[in-house]
Amino acid sequence: MAPKLSDSVEELRAAGNQSFRNGQYAEASALYERALRLLQARGSADPEEESVLYSNRAACYLKDGNCTDCIKDCTSALALVPFSIKPLLRRASAYEALEKYTLAYVDYKTVLQIDNSVASALEGINRITRALMDSLGPEWRLKLPPIPVVPVSAQKRWNSLPSENHKETAKTKSKEATATKSRVPSAGDVERAKALKEEGNDLVKKGNHKKAIEKYSESLLCSSLESATYSNRALCHLVLKQYKEAVKDCTEALKLDGKNVKAFYRRAQAYKALKDYKSSLSDISSLLQIEPRNGPAQKLRQEVNQNMN
């Protein structure tokens, strides 16, 4: 006879997490269900805890291929805590498995409004876009359900969560970068990348830099060989004061095109904002070797020199 677990929601959830890590998804699901029943029987409102338990049980259902129950639990989790990333991602995966592509697209896009660096959502959008183009044709966007606007409070809540909540995002982002760079894009991939980059450019012209980052990121998933896409995304990061991300994108752009003047200039701007004046001057010097009469670069050099004095 198995030892009886303490009547503690926290212990039941921890036991469920361990079973899940061991690949015992049915056992983990049963433990999460016990924790849910216990929590609900107490009658004390704890929406955060209840939402996590529904989301965790949904992960078990997803692993076992029970997409219908996964969707139900994710929806319950989101009713308790709207715009939570994990249940949105799990529900999107379940919709995708059931070939409900428009609904999967909406959930992936919602995630990217909260955090545009979530690689699994970017990869999902890329897959779903291809499927929708194939099944619904060039007007597929007109057939999408409404995509909810994520409130700033939900974005702030995600950013304020402990770092361990972002570990999975970081891991998948690293995997995505490695996989994308090692894959040779097809002619179709290159065309899709070009179209997505143009959509990003249009969004920049409208001042919507956050959504533009999403488009550039989707473009780079199709093909990571376009230097200008990286330097364009760097511009968006600069506007949003995401200076370290801007530096990274400019560096990638310069690996592909060592004479990308915009990448040198934008990285110099980012270094200046980060108060790394030596690196900023180095980039300005490299730029002026390519374009000696570049006025903005000359002005930026003066500003950096003034800051150093």
Side-chain angles (χ1 to χ4, degrees):
M1 185 175 178
K4 185 178 182 299
L5 285 167
S6 169
D7 282 342
S8 159
V9 171
E10 293 75 16
E11 288 187 15
L12 287 166
R13 175 157 60 88
N17 292 348
Q18 186 58 52
S19 294
F20 187 89
R21 285 192 289 269
N22 293 339
Q24 299 168 321
Y25 305 122
E27 181 179 307
S29 176
L31 288 163
Y32 295 138
E33 185 170 347
R34 283 178 58 189
L36 273 167
R37 286 202 304 266
L38 181 59
L39 187 66
Q40 292 160 355
R42 287 177 180 171
S44 56
D46 189 348
E48 292 275 353
E49 179 68 32
E50 193 172 352
S51 178
V52 167
L53 289 168
Y54 275 119
S55 179
N56 287 4
R57 189 171 67 177
C60 300
Y61 288 142
L62 188 62
K63 286 288 188 181
D64 281 337
N66 184 352
C67 294
T68 301
D69 284 335
C70 172
I71 290 167
K72 287 179 183 176
D73 270 5
C74 288
T75 302
S76 295
L78 291 163
L80 290 159
V81 183
F83 304 111
S84 296
I85 281 188
K86 287 184 178 180
L88 279 168
L89 285 172
R90 288 162 186 167
R91 190 170 69 178
S93 295
Y95 279 140
E96 185 176 356
L98 294 173
E99 298 185 3
K100 296 183 178 182
Y101 296 129
T102 57
L103 295 174
Y105 185 92
V106 169
D107 278 351
Y108 283 133
K109 287 295 283 187
T110 303
V111 168
L112 292 172
Q113 286 186 68
I114 302 165
D115 184 345
N116 57 35
S117 70
V118 179
S120 54
L122 289 166
E123 292 168 348
I125 281 288
N126 190 34
R127 290 192 305 271
I128 298 299
T129 299
R130 295 180 189 182
L132 289 171
M133 288 176 70
D134 291 341
S135 60
L136 301 179
E139 302 297 319
W140 63 272
R141 289 184 187 276
L142 301 176
K143 300 172 185 178
L144 291 173
I147 298 173
V149 176
V150 177
V152 174
S153 58
Q155 298 170 16
K156 288 181 177 177
R157 187 183 74 239
W158 170 248
N159 290 331
S160 68
L161 288 174
S163 59
E164 57 263 23
N165 287 275
H166 299 264
K167 282 183 180 177
E168 188 174 345
T169 297
K171 287 178 183 176
T172 53
K173 189 171 184 181
S174 175
K175 288 178 183 176
E176 168 255 330
T178 303
T180 302
K181 288 176 183 177
S182 63
R183 178 175 62 85
V184 178
S186 66
D189 288 333
V190 172
E191 283 302 311
R192 276 188 287 272
K194 184 178 178 181
L196 287 162
K197 184 182 108 173
E198 290 304 319
E199 288 184 40
N201 293 347
D202 289 339
L203 287 164
V204 168
K205 291 173 186 174
K206 295 174 184 176
N208 197 337
H209 294 91
K210 187 169 184 182
K211 283 194 176 293
I213 287 175
E214 293 178 20
K215 291 298 176 184
Y216 292 137
S217 298
E218 290 176 40
S219 174
L220 290 166
L221 277 170
C222 294
S223 172
S224 61
L225 303 178
E226 180 65 50
S227 177
T229 308
Y230 281 109
S231 54
N232 288 3
R233 190 170 68 175
L235 170 64
C236 299
H237 285 309
L238 275 174
V239 172
L240 297 172
K241 298 183 179 180
Q242 299 167 344
Y243 301 120
K244 290 181 181 179
E245 293 299 323
V247 168
K248 289 177 186 176
D249 272 355
C250 290
T251 301
E252 291 299 326
L254 289 165
K255 286 179 184 176
L256 293 164
D257 178 5
K259 293 186 177 182
N260 185 330
V261 169
K262 290 181 178 179
F264 275 123
Y265 182 71
R266 288 165 186 167
R267 191 168 69 176
Q269 287 180 299
Y271 278 137
K272 180 193 168 201
L274 293 168
K275 299 184 178 180
D276 185 349
Y277 301 127
K278 184 177 179 181
S279 295
S280 182
L281 285 174
S282 175
D283 277 348
I284 295 168
S285 176
S286 297
L287 188 163
L288 291 172
Q289 286 178 18
I290 302 167
E291 290 186 7
R293 296 184 180 180
N294 189 300
Q298 291 172 346
K299 183 180 177 183
L300 182 62
R301 180 170 60 183
Q302 289 177 350
E303 293 173 357
V304 173
N305 281 326
Q306 286 173 0
N307 287 337
M308 292 179 74
N309 294 333

